[in-house]
Amino acid sequence: MSSITAPARPAAACSPVPPPRTAFVLAGGAALGAMQTGTLRALYEHGIVPDLLAGTSAGTLNAAFLASRPPAPPVDKS
């Protein structure tokens, strides 16, 4: 009887932990789309920049606008 052994896998502790990711999911509707503009501006002013963008209806327009902009410069918190 032959035994089958699984290949050795590296320990989970050896692999680096990926950095957290930020996603903005924007809802639809004209009123929400207008409100999102101010909210997104405040988030950017506090250095919260998304890695991922998603949206529906007016949220899609805002997400497309954000995606077309160059990345925000880092905020100096000193």
Side-chain angles (χ1 to χ4, degrees), residues 26-27 36 55-68:
L26 308 174
Q36 290 166 359
T56 184
S57 190
T60 302
L61 297 175
N62 286 337
F65 174 71
L66 288 174
S68 68

Side-chain angles (χ1 to χ4, degrees), residues 6-73:
R9 294 175 50 183
C14 294
S15 64
V17 176
R21 296 173 75 179
T22 303
F24 290 173
V25 181
L26 308 174
L32 287 176
M35 180 193 64
Q36 290 166 359
T37 306
T39 304
L40 294 169
R41 182 179 208 165
L43 289 170
Y44 270 86
E45 287 175 356
H46 285 87
I48 302 171
V49 181
D51 297 311
L52 305 167
L53 293 166
T56 184
S57 190
T60 302
L61 297 175
N62 286 337
F65 174 71
L66 288 174
S68 68
R69 296 178 58 199

